[in-house]
Amino acid sequence: MKKAVVVFSGGQDSTTCLVQALKEFDEVHAITFDYGQRHKLEIEVAQSLAKELGVKAHKVMDVGLLNELAISSLTRDDIPVSHELQDNGLPNSFVPGRNILFLTLAGIYAYQIGAQTVITGVCETDFSGYPDCRNDFVKAMNSALVQGMDRPLEIATPLMWLNKAETWALADQYDALQLVREKTLTCYNGIIGDGCGDCPSCELRKVGLNDYLANREAVMAELVRKQTTES
């Protein structure tokens, strides 16, 4: 039996990954992390979507210690999300160590349930400048988990080389475009669906959606080309 664990935030990217995983794996588990993020609604959205989509199990893990250590606009209500980069070249929404922790815990969960794959929606093509969304980082984490647990495991990143328009196309490929558009929470200001339209996350999402809707056939063709090349 092919089992997978999806790192699931209830946002556009992870929901698209979850929809795809449910078609490709015999059993899918979702894992969501409560790290005191800016909007608790994110967890509620993830729970609702996991139930609606019919995952085998949905684990919500308390990792509040991350909030104590990582100071970011996503972990502090008194720090507004900025469109400008910090002196270190990173956005102030970057949560240092977040994906290191998340992938480690997801890998442990996969070990316990006998899953061969951990799926995460990180992307190097259209990303927010986070170093822990890069392919080299994921490969390094994958190697560390395999060596540290002495067990085969793949960290799959279906969105790694897709732009946002192609991510929308992927959701559409699985007849989930409207679900992703209307029921996910990507907005840094906590507004479900199309969001506030102003924060960096909403801007990225909106530009990608508009591009896809305006160039549906061309974007879908490019998605299929990338899928064929990867396989």
Side-chain angles (χ1 to χ4, degrees), residues 167-215:
T167 300
W168 282 110
L170 182 61
D172 204 9
Q173 210 175 41
Y174 289 96
D175 299 319
L177 181 65
Q178 287 309 115
L179 178 138
V180 172
R181 181 172 183 179
E182 296 171 2
K183 297 187 177 182
T184 61
L185 175 57
T186 305
C187 176
Y188 290 154
N189 290 311
I191 300 172
I192 296 172
D194 289 336
C196 70
D198 180 60
C199 73
S201 183
C202 282
E203 286 187 353
L204 192 61
R205 173 178 166 129
K206 178 173 60 178
V207 169
L209 178 60
N210 290 343
D211 185 10
Y212 175 58
L213 294 178
N215 306 282

mmCIF file of all heavy atoms in Angstrom, residues 167-215:
data_model
loop_
_atom_site.group_PDB
_atom_site.id
_atom_site.type_symbol
_atom_site.label_atom_id
_atom_site.label_comp_id
_atom_site.label_asym_id
_atom_site.label_seq_id
_atom_site.Cartn_x
_atom_site.Cartn_y
_atom_site.Cartn_z
ATOM 1 N N THR A 167 0.499 26.229 -10.773
ATOM 2 C CA THR A 167 -0.081 25.610 -9.574
ATOM 3 C C THR A 167 -1.603 25.663 -9.635
ATOM 4 O O THR A 167 -2.291 24.706 -9.259
ATOM 5 C CB THR A 167 0.445 26.311 -8.302
ATOM 6 O OG1 THR A 167 1.865 26.189 -8.250
ATOM 7 C CG2 THR A 167 -0.162 25.688 -7.049
ATOM 8 N N TRP A 168 -2.139 26.781 -10.122
ATOM 9 C CA TRP A 168 -3.594 26.847 -10.329
ATOM 10 C C TRP A 168 -4.031 25.827 -11.371
ATOM 11 O O TRP A 168 -5.083 25.179 -11.233
ATOM 12 C CB TRP A 168 -4.003 28.250 -10.774
ATOM 13 C CG TRP A 168 -4.055 29.264 -9.682
ATOM 14 C CD1 TRP A 168 -3.206 30.315 -9.483
ATOM 15 C CD2 TRP A 168 -5.016 29.328 -8.617
ATOM 16 N NE1 TRP A 168 -3.575 31.022 -8.361
ATOM 17 C CE2 TRP A 168 -4.681 30.443 -7.817
ATOM 18 C CE3 TRP A 168 -6.114 28.548 -8.273
ATOM 19 C CZ2 TRP A 168 -5.417 30.801 -6.688
ATOM 20 C CZ3 TRP A 168 -6.845 28.903 -7.143
ATOM 21 C CH2 TRP A 168 -6.504 30.017 -6.362
ATOM 22 N N ALA A 169 -3.236 25.666 -12.418
ATOM 23 C CA ALA A 169 -3.556 24.687 -13.457
ATOM 24 C C ALA A 169 -3.570 23.270 -12.887
ATOM 25 O O ALA A 169 -4.416 22.441 -13.261
ATOM 26 C CB ALA A 169 -2.560 24.791 -14.609
ATOM 27 N N LEU A 170 -2.645 22.993 -11.980
ATOM 28 C CA LEU A 170 -2.590 21.668 -11.351
ATOM 29 C C LEU A 170 -3.861 21.399 -10.556
ATOM 30 O O LEU A 170 -4.433 20.303 -10.619
ATOM 31 C CB LEU A 170 -1.362 21.569 -10.443
ATOM 32 C CG LEU A 170 -1.151 20.219 -9.745
ATOM 33 C CD1 LEU A 170 -0.964 19.096 -10.757
ATOM 34 C CD2 LEU A 170 0.057 20.296 -8.814
ATOM 35 N N ALA A 171 -4.325 22.400 -9.807
ATOM 36 C CA ALA A 171 -5.587 22.244 -9.071
ATOM 37 C C ALA A 171 -6.734 21.979 -10.044
ATOM 38 O O ALA A 171 -7.593 21.124 -9.796
ATOM 39 C CB ALA A 171 -5.865 23.493 -8.242
ATOM 40 N N ASP A 172 -6.727 22.692 -11.160
ATOM 41 C CA ASP A 172 -7.777 22.526 -12.163
ATOM 42 C C ASP A 172 -7.714 21.143 -12.790
ATOM 43 O O ASP A 172 -8.744 20.536 -13.119
ATOM 44 C CB ASP A 172 -7.621 23.602 -13.242
ATOM 45 C CG ASP A 172 -8.924 23.884 -13.982
ATOM 46 O OD1 ASP A 172 -9.987 23.377 -13.557
ATOM 47 O OD2 ASP A 172 -8.880 24.627 -14.991
ATOM 48 N N GLN A 173 -6.520 20.628 -12.946
ATOM 49 C CA GLN A 173 -6.314 19.294 -13.508
ATOM 50 C C GLN A 173 -7.040 18.234 -12.674
ATOM 51 O O GLN A 173 -7.495 17.223 -13.199
ATOM 52 C CB GLN A 173 -4.809 18.994 -13.541
ATOM 53 C CG GLN A 173 -4.354 18.086 -14.654
ATOM 54 C CD GLN A 173 -2.834 17.952 -14.669
ATOM 55 O OE1 GLN A 173 -2.182 17.836 -13.623
ATOM 56 N NE2 GLN A 173 -2.249 17.975 -15.853
ATOM 57 N N TYR A 174 -7.142 18.499 -11.386
ATOM 58 C CA TYR A 174 -7.806 17.566 -10.468
ATOM 59 C C TYR A 174 -9.208 18.050 -10.078
ATOM 60 O O TYR A 174 -9.747 17.630 -9.045
ATOM 61 C CB TYR A 174 -6.942 17.354 -9.220
ATOM 62 C CG TYR A 174 -5.697 16.552 -9.507
ATOM 63 C CD1 TYR A 174 -4.484 17.185 -9.760
ATOM 64 C CD2 TYR A 174 -5.735 15.164 -9.552
ATOM 65 C CE1 TYR A 174 -3.342 16.461 -10.050
ATOM 66 C CE2 TYR A 174 -4.596 14.416 -9.826
ATOM 67 C CZ TYR A 174 -3.408 15.076 -10.076
ATOM 68 O OH TYR A 174 -2.284 14.337 -10.371
ATOM 69 N N ASP A 175 -9.782 18.925 -10.910
ATOM 70 C CA ASP A 175 -11.139 19.453 -10.696
ATOM 71 C C ASP A 175 -11.312 20.103 -9.334
ATOM 72 O O ASP A 175 -12.363 19.981 -8.692
ATOM 73 C CB ASP A 175 -12.182 18.327 -10.878
ATOM 74 C CG ASP A 175 -12.159 17.728 -12.277
ATOM 75 O OD1 ASP A 175 -12.027 18.504 -13.248
ATOM 76 O OD2 ASP A 175 -12.245 16.494 -12.407
ATOM 77 N N ALA A 176 -10.274 20.783 -8.892
ATOM 78 C CA ALA A 176 -10.306 21.393 -7.558
ATOM 79 C C ALA A 176 -10.037 22.892 -7.595
ATOM 80 O O ALA A 176 -9.733 23.489 -6.555
ATOM 81 C CB ALA A 176 -9.293 20.704 -6.650
ATOM 82 N N LEU A 177 -10.166 23.505 -8.756
ATOM 83 C CA LEU A 177 -9.858 24.931 -8.868
ATOM 84 C C LEU A 177 -10.747 25.768 -7.952
ATOM 85 O O LEU A 177 -10.261 26.630 -7.206
ATOM 86 C CB LEU A 177 -10.009 25.404 -10.317
ATOM 87 C CG LEU A 177 -9.696 26.886 -10.567
ATOM 88 C CD1 LEU A 177 -8.231 27.182 -10.303
ATOM 89 C CD2 LEU A 177 -10.056 27.287 -11.995
ATOM 90 N N GLN A 178 -12.041 25.534 -7.986
ATOM 91 C CA GLN A 178 -12.951 26.328 -7.168
ATOM 92 C C GLN A 178 -12.760 26.056 -5.686
ATOM 93 O O GLN A 178 -12.816 26.972 -4.865
ATOM 94 C CB GLN A 178 -14.404 26.075 -7.580
ATOM 95 C CG GLN A 178 -14.783 26.704 -8.927
ATOM 96 C CD GLN A 178 -14.421 28.170 -9.010
ATOM 97 O OE1 GLN A 178 -13.566 28.580 -9.809
ATOM 98 N NE2 GLN A 178 -15.072 28.989 -8.188
ATOM 99 N N LEU A 179 -12.537 24.807 -5.329
ATOM 100 C CA LEU A 179 -12.295 24.482 -3.918
ATOM 101 C C LEU A 179 -11.075 25.226 -3.406
ATOM 102 O O LEU A 179 -11.106 25.843 -2.331
ATOM 103 C CB LEU A 179 -12.104 22.971 -3.753
ATOM 104 C CG LEU A 179 -11.791 22.504 -2.324
ATOM 105 C CD1 LEU A 179 -12.573 21.243 -1.991
ATOM 106 C CD2 LEU A 179 -10.291 22.238 -2.130
ATOM 107 N N VAL A 180 -9.991 25.187 -4.166
ATOM 108 C CA VAL A 180 -8.756 25.865 -3.751
ATOM 109 C C VAL A 180 -8.976 27.376 -3.705
ATOM 110 O O VAL A 180 -8.522 28.049 -2.776
ATOM 111 C CB VAL A 180 -7.592 25.502 -4.692
ATOM 112 C CG1 VAL A 180 -6.368 26.358 -4.379
ATOM 113 C CG2 VAL A 180 -7.256 24.022 -4.569
ATOM 114 N N ARG A 181 -9.687 27.903 -4.677
ATOM 115 C CA ARG A 181 -9.894 29.349 -4.727
ATOM 116 C C ARG A 181 -10.776 29.834 -3.584
ATOM 117 O O ARG A 181 -10.519 30.884 -2.989
ATOM 118 C CB ARG A 181 -10.505 29.747 -6.069
ATOM 119 C CG ARG A 181 -10.728 31.245 -6.172
ATOM 120 C CD ARG A 181 -11.152 31.703 -7.547
ATOM 121 N NE ARG A 181 -11.277 33.160 -7.567
ATOM 122 C CZ ARG A 181 -11.624 33.867 -8.634
ATOM 123 N NH1 ARG A 181 -11.868 33.263 -9.785
ATOM 124 N NH2 ARG A 181 -11.714 35.183 -8.550
ATOM 125 N N GLU A 182 -11.822 29.096 -3.257
ATOM 126 C CA GLU A 182 -12.835 29.585 -2.325
ATOM 127 C C GLU A 182 -12.615 29.161 -0.868
ATOM 128 O O GLU A 182 -13.076 29.841 0.044
ATOM 129 C CB GLU A 182 -14.215 29.103 -2.775
ATOM 130 C CG GLU A 182 -14.643 29.675 -4.126
ATOM 131 C CD GLU A 182 -15.914 29.034 -4.660
ATOM 132 O OE1 GLU A 182 -16.496 28.168 -3.954
ATOM 133 O OE2 GLU A 182 -16.324 29.384 -5.785
ATOM 134 N N LYS A 183 -11.898 28.050 -0.636
ATOM 135 C CA LYS A 183 -11.873 27.487 0.717
ATOM 136 C C LYS A 183 -10.506 27.441 1.375
ATOM 137 O O LYS A 183 -10.401 27.039 2.530
ATOM 138 C CB LYS A 183 -12.484 26.079 0.695
ATOM 139 C CG LYS A 183 -13.955 26.073 0.288
ATOM 140 C CD LYS A 183 -14.570 24.688 0.432
ATOM 141 C CE LYS A 183 -16.057 24.709 0.086
ATOM 142 N NZ LYS A 183 -16.685 23.362 0.280
ATOM 143 N N THR A 184 -9.455 27.846 0.656
ATOM 144 C CA THR A 184 -8.129 27.822 1.270
ATOM 145 C C THR A 184 -7.804 29.177 1.899
ATOM 146 O O THR A 184 -8.406 30.194 1.568
ATOM 147 C CB THR A 184 -7.049 27.453 0.237
ATOM 148 O OG1 THR A 184 -7.033 28.417 -0.810
ATOM 149 C CG2 THR A 184 -7.310 26.073 -0.345
ATOM 150 N N LEU A 185 -6.812 29.163 2.774
ATOM 151 C CA LEU A 185 -6.383 30.394 3.440
ATOM 152 C C LEU A 185 -4.893 30.601 3.186
ATOM 153 O O LEU A 185 -4.055 29.902 3.740
ATOM 154 C CB LEU A 185 -6.647 30.316 4.944
ATOM 155 C CG LEU A 185 -6.135 31.491 5.789
ATOM 156 C CD1 LEU A 185 -6.713 32.809 5.302
ATOM 157 C CD2 LEU A 185 -6.462 31.284 7.260
ATOM 158 N N THR A 186 -4.607 31.551 2.326
ATOM 159 C CA THR A 186 -3.227 31.899 1.988
ATOM 160 C C THR A 186 -2.864 33.277 2.526
ATOM 161 O O THR A 186 -1.702 33.594 2.743
ATOM 162 C CB THR A 186 -3.041 31.868 0.455
ATOM 163 O OG1 THR A 186 -3.439 30.586 -0.034
ATOM 164 C CG2 THR A 186 -1.598 32.101 0.059
ATOM 165 N N CYS A 187 -3.861 34.089 2.750
ATOM 166 C CA CYS A 187 -3.699 35.500 3.106
ATOM 167 C C CYS A 187 -3.026 35.687 4.468
ATOM 168 O O CYS A 187 -3.427 35.080 5.462
ATOM 169 C CB CYS A 187 -5.083 36.157 3.111
ATOM 170 S SG CYS A 187 -5.108 37.873 3.639
ATOM 171 N N TYR A 188 -2.012 36.560 4.508
ATOM 172 C CA TYR A 188 -1.337 36.862 5.767
ATOM 173 C C TYR A 188 -2.238 37.633 6.725
ATOM 174 O O TYR A 188 -1.954 37.727 7.920
ATOM 175 C CB TYR A 188 -0.071 37.676 5.509
ATOM 176 C CG TYR A 188 1.053 36.913 4.845
ATOM 177 C CD1 TYR A 188 2.011 37.569 4.082
ATOM 178 C CD2 TYR A 188 1.179 35.536 4.996
ATOM 179 C CE1 TYR A 188 3.054 36.880 3.477
ATOM 180 C CE2 TYR A 188 2.211 34.836 4.406
ATOM 181 C CZ TYR A 188 3.142 35.511 3.640
ATOM 182 O OH TYR A 188 4.172 34.828 3.045
ATOM 183 N N ASN A 189 -3.328 38.190 6.205
ATOM 184 C CA ASN A 189 -4.267 38.915 7.061
ATOM 185 C C ASN A 189 -5.479 38.071 7.445
ATOM 186 O O ASN A 189 -6.458 38.586 7.984
ATOM 187 C CB ASN A 189 -4.701 40.212 6.372
ATOM 188 C CG ASN A 189 -3.566 41.222 6.315
ATOM 189 O OD1 ASN A 189 -2.913 41.484 7.315
ATOM 190 N ND2 ASN A 189 -3.308 41.778 5.141
ATOM 191 N N GLY A 190 -5.425 36.785 7.148
ATOM 192 C CA GLY A 190 -6.417 35.841 7.667
ATOM 193 C C GLY A 190 -7.759 35.847 6.977
ATOM 194 O O GLY A 190 -8.766 35.493 7.592
ATOM 195 N N ILE A 191 -7.803 36.195 5.681
ATOM 196 C CA ILE A 191 -9.067 36.222 4.950
ATOM 197 C C ILE A 191 -9.107 35.034 3.988
ATOM 198 O O ILE A 191 -8.249 34.906 3.106
ATOM 199 C CB ILE A 191 -9.239 37.542 4.180
ATOM 200 C CG1 ILE A 191 -9.214 38.730 5.165
ATOM 201 C CG2 ILE A 191 -10.537 37.544 3.383
ATOM 202 C CD1 ILE A 191 -9.191 40.085 4.499
ATOM 203 N N ILE A 192 -10.095 34.170 4.160
ATOM 204 C CA ILE A 192 -10.221 32.954 3.352
ATOM 205 C C ILE A 192 -10.552 33.310 1.903
ATOM 206 O O ILE A 192 -11.194 34.321 1.611
ATOM 207 C CB ILE A 192 -11.308 32.032 3.943
ATOM 208 C CG1 ILE A 192 -10.893 31.562 5.353
ATOM 209 C CG2 ILE A 192 -11.572 30.817 3.061
ATOM 210 C CD1 ILE A 192 -11.979 30.798 6.094
ATOM 211 N N GLY A 193 -10.151 32.435 0.986
ATOM 212 C CA GLY A 193 -10.465 32.617 -0.428
ATOM 213 C C GLY A 193 -9.499 33.579 -1.091
ATOM 214 O O GLY A 193 -8.284 33.449 -0.957
ATOM 215 N N ASP A 194 -10.033 34.563 -1.807
ATOM 216 C CA ASP A 194 -9.179 35.497 -2.535
ATOM 217 C C ASP A 194 -8.382 36.422 -1.624
ATOM 218 O O ASP A 194 -7.488 37.130 -2.079
ATOM 219 C CB ASP A 194 -10.026 36.337 -3.500
ATOM 220 C CG ASP A 194 -10.541 35.511 -4.675
ATOM 221 O OD1 ASP A 194 -9.925 34.479 -4.992
ATOM 222 O OD2 ASP A 194 -11.563 35.892 -5.272
ATOM 223 N N GLY A 195 -8.698 36.423 -0.327
ATOM 224 C CA GLY A 195 -7.891 37.147 0.650
ATOM 225 C C GLY A 195 -8.046 38.654 0.614
ATOM 226 O O GLY A 195 -8.991 39.193 0.030
ATOM 227 N N CYS A 196 -7.088 39.340 1.227
ATOM 228 C CA CYS A 196 -7.155 40.800 1.316
ATOM 229 C C CYS A 196 -6.770 41.466 -0.001
ATOM 230 O O CYS A 196 -7.123 42.613 -0.253
ATOM 231 C CB CYS A 196 -6.241 41.296 2.437
ATOM 232 S SG CYS A 196 -4.463 41.125 2.082
ATOM 233 N N GLY A 197 -6.022 40.731 -0.824
ATOM 234 C CA GLY A 197 -5.612 41.272 -2.113
ATOM 235 C C GLY A 197 -4.411 42.186 -2.055
ATOM 236 O O GLY A 197 -3.941 42.668 -3.086
ATOM 237 N N ASP A 198 -3.885 42.428 -0.849
ATOM 238 C CA ASP A 198 -2.807 43.402 -0.701
ATOM 239 C C ASP A 198 -1.507 42.809 -0.165
ATOM 240 O O ASP A 198 -0.425 43.242 -0.561
ATOM 241 C CB ASP A 198 -3.262 44.541 0.215
ATOM 242 C CG ASP A 198 -2.169 45.586 0.414
ATOM 243 O OD1 ASP A 198 -1.750 46.170 -0.607
ATOM 244 O OD2 ASP A 198 -1.732 45.804 1.556
ATOM 245 N N CYS A 199 -1.587 41.837 0.719
ATOM 246 C CA CYS A 199 -0.371 41.281 1.323
ATOM 247 C C CYS A 199 0.438 40.534 0.256
ATOM 248 O O CYS A 199 -0.086 40.163 -0.796
ATOM 249 C CB CYS A 199 -0.716 40.378 2.499
ATOM 250 S SG CYS A 199 -1.437 38.780 2.041
ATOM 251 N N PRO A 200 1.752 40.310 0.499
ATOM 252 C CA PRO A 200 2.593 39.652 -0.503
ATOM 253 C C PRO A 200 2.057 38.296 -0.953
ATOM 254 O O PRO A 200 2.134 37.951 -2.136
ATOM 255 C CB PRO A 200 3.935 39.505 0.219
ATOM 256 C CG PRO A 200 3.962 40.629 1.205
ATOM 257 C CD PRO A 200 2.541 40.774 1.663
ATOM 258 N N SER A 201 1.490 37.535 -0.017
ATOM 259 C CA SER A 201 0.961 36.219 -0.363
ATOM 260 C C SER A 201 -0.244 36.332 -1.300
ATOM 261 O O SER A 201 -0.372 35.591 -2.282
ATOM 262 C CB SER A 201 0.563 35.467 0.912
ATOM 263 O OG SER A 201 0.114 34.172 0.610
ATOM 264 N N CYS A 202 -1.133 37.269 -1.004
ATOM 265 C CA CYS A 202 -2.316 37.473 -1.853
ATOM 266 C C CYS A 202 -1.928 37.975 -3.241
ATOM 267 O O CYS A 202 -2.525 37.572 -4.240
ATOM 268 C CB CYS A 202 -3.275 38.474 -1.202
ATOM 269 S SG CYS A 202 -4.271 37.769 0.118
ATOM 270 N N GLU A 203 -0.933 38.843 -3.292
ATOM 271 C CA GLU A 203 -0.497 39.368 -4.585
ATOM 272 C C GLU A 203 0.030 38.258 -5.474
ATOM 273 O O GLU A 203 -0.300 38.172 -6.663
ATOM 274 C CB GLU A 203 0.572 40.448 -4.378
ATOM 275 C CG GLU A 203 0.015 41.766 -3.865
ATOM 276 C CD GLU A 203 1.070 42.861 -3.841
ATOM 277 O OE1 GLU A 203 2.260 42.553 -4.106
ATOM 278 O OE2 GLU A 203 0.722 44.018 -3.564
ATOM 279 N N LEU A 204 0.848 37.392 -4.902
ATOM 280 C CA LEU A 204 1.412 36.271 -5.648
ATOM 281 C C LEU A 204 0.309 35.344 -6.141
ATOM 282 O O LEU A 204 0.297 34.919 -7.305
ATOM 283 C CB LEU A 204 2.393 35.500 -4.745
ATOM 284 C CG LEU A 204 3.301 34.463 -5.386
ATOM 285 C CD1 LEU A 204 4.218 35.088 -6.421
ATOM 286 C CD2 LEU A 204 4.122 33.764 -4.301
ATOM 287 N N ARG A 205 -0.626 35.062 -5.261
ATOM 288 C CA ARG A 205 -1.758 34.180 -5.597
ATOM 289 C C ARG A 205 -2.620 34.803 -6.705
ATOM 290 O O ARG A 205 -3.001 34.130 -7.662
ATOM 291 C CB ARG A 205 -2.573 33.942 -4.326
ATOM 292 C CG ARG A 205 -3.881 33.182 -4.508
ATOM 293 C CD ARG A 205 -4.546 32.978 -3.154
ATOM 294 N NE ARG A 205 -5.935 32.564 -3.271
ATOM 295 C CZ ARG A 205 -6.467 31.521 -2.650
ATOM 296 N NH1 ARG A 205 -5.717 30.772 -1.881
ATOM 297 N NH2 ARG A 205 -7.742 31.219 -2.792
ATOM 298 N N LYS A 206 -2.911 36.093 -6.574
ATOM 299 C CA LYS A 206 -3.796 36.775 -7.530
ATOM 300 C C LYS A 206 -3.164 36.872 -8.913
ATOM 301 O O LYS A 206 -3.834 36.623 -9.931
ATOM 302 C CB LYS A 206 -4.123 38.178 -7.001
ATOM 303 C CG LYS A 206 -5.007 39.005 -7.922
ATOM 304 C CD LYS A 206 -5.428 40.303 -7.241
ATOM 305 C CE LYS A 206 -4.255 41.159 -6.861
ATOM 306 N NZ LYS A 206 -4.644 42.452 -6.237
ATOM 307 N N VAL A 207 -1.892 37.225 -8.966
ATOM 308 C CA VAL A 207 -1.200 37.326 -10.254
ATOM 309 C C VAL A 207 -1.197 35.972 -10.961
ATOM 310 O O VAL A 207 -1.437 35.881 -12.173
ATOM 311 C CB VAL A 207 0.236 37.852 -10.058
ATOM 312 C CG1 VAL A 207 1.047 37.703 -11.345
ATOM 313 C CG2 VAL A 207 0.220 39.313 -9.627
ATOM 314 N N GLY A 208 -0.944 34.910 -10.202
ATOM 315 C CA GLY A 208 -0.933 33.571 -10.784
ATOM 316 C C GLY A 208 -2.294 33.157 -11.301
ATOM 317 O O GLY A 208 -2.413 32.579 -12.392
ATOM 318 N N LEU A 209 -3.331 33.450 -10.535
ATOM 319 C CA LEU A 209 -4.689 33.084 -10.945
ATOM 320 C C LEU A 209 -5.094 33.846 -12.204
ATOM 321 O O LEU A 209 -5.640 33.256 -13.152
ATOM 322 C CB LEU A 209 -5.682 33.367 -9.816
ATOM 323 C CG LEU A 209 -7.148 33.066 -10.132
ATOM 324 C CD1 LEU A 209 -7.359 31.597 -10.483
ATOM 325 C CD2 LEU A 209 -8.048 33.463 -8.961
ATOM 326 N N ASN A 210 -4.834 35.140 -12.218
ATOM 327 C CA ASN A 210 -5.191 35.947 -13.384
ATOM 328 C C ASN A 210 -4.453 35.471 -14.631
ATOM 329 O O ASN A 210 -5.016 35.433 -15.735
ATOM 330 C CB ASN A 210 -4.898 37.420 -13.119
ATOM 331 C CG ASN A 210 -5.850 38.026 -12.102
ATOM 332 O OD1 ASN A 210 -6.908 37.472 -11.826
ATOM 333 N ND2 ASN A 210 -5.479 39.156 -11.532
ATOM 334 N N ASP A 211 -3.195 35.116 -14.454
ATOM 335 C CA ASP A 211 -2.394 34.605 -15.570
ATOM 336 C C ASP A 211 -2.997 33.296 -16.089
ATOM 337 O O ASP A 211 -3.137 33.109 -17.307
ATOM 338 C CB ASP A 211 -0.954 34.381 -15.101
ATOM 339 C CG ASP A 211 -0.022 33.960 -16.236
ATOM 340 O OD1 ASP A 211 -0.432 34.013 -17.407
ATOM 341 O OD2 ASP A 211 1.125 33.557 -15.939
ATOM 342 N N TYR A 212 -3.363 32.415 -15.170
ATOM 343 C CA TYR A 212 -3.931 31.139 -15.592
ATOM 344 C C TYR A 212 -5.269 31.328 -16.310
ATOM 345 O O TYR A 212 -5.501 30.754 -17.379
ATOM 346 C CB TYR A 212 -4.111 30.189 -14.406
ATOM 347 C CG TYR A 212 -4.804 28.908 -14.805
ATOM 348 C CD1 TYR A 212 -4.263 28.095 -15.796
ATOM 349 C CD2 TYR A 212 -6.014 28.530 -14.230
ATOM 350 C CE1 TYR A 212 -4.909 26.929 -16.202
ATOM 351 C CE2 TYR A 212 -6.664 27.372 -14.623
ATOM 352 C CZ TYR A 212 -6.101 26.578 -15.615
ATOM 353 O OH TYR A 212 -6.745 25.430 -16.024
ATOM 354 N N LEU A 213 -6.146 32.137 -15.730
ATOM 355 C CA LEU A 213 -7.472 32.326 -16.320
ATOM 356 C C LEU A 213 -7.388 33.006 -17.684
ATOM 357 O O LEU A 213 -8.218 32.746 -18.567
ATOM 358 C CB LEU A 213 -8.352 33.147 -15.375
ATOM 359 C CG LEU A 213 -8.703 32.466 -14.042
ATOM 360 C CD1 LEU A 213 -9.546 33.401 -13.174
ATOM 361 C CD2 LEU A 213 -9.430 31.139 -14.264
ATOM 362 N N ALA A 214 -6.388 33.859 -17.878
ATOM 363 C CA ALA A 214 -6.236 34.565 -19.149
ATOM 364 C C ALA A 214 -5.546 33.720 -20.217
ATOM 365 O O ALA A 214 -5.699 33.981 -21.415
ATOM 366 C CB ALA A 214 -5.456 35.855 -18.931
ATOM 367 N N ASN A 215 -4.778 32.713 -19.763
ATOM 368 C CA ASN A 215 -3.985 31.909 -20.709
ATOM 369 C C ASN A 215 -4.111 30.417 -20.393
ATOM 370 O O ASN A 215 -3.119 29.698 -20.332
ATOM 371 C CB ASN A 215 -2.507 32.328 -20.647
ATOM 372 C CG ASN A 215 -2.302 33.800 -20.866
ATOM 373 O OD1 ASN A 215 -2.344 34.283 -21.985
ATOM 374 N ND2 ASN A 215 -2.083 34.536 -19.767
#
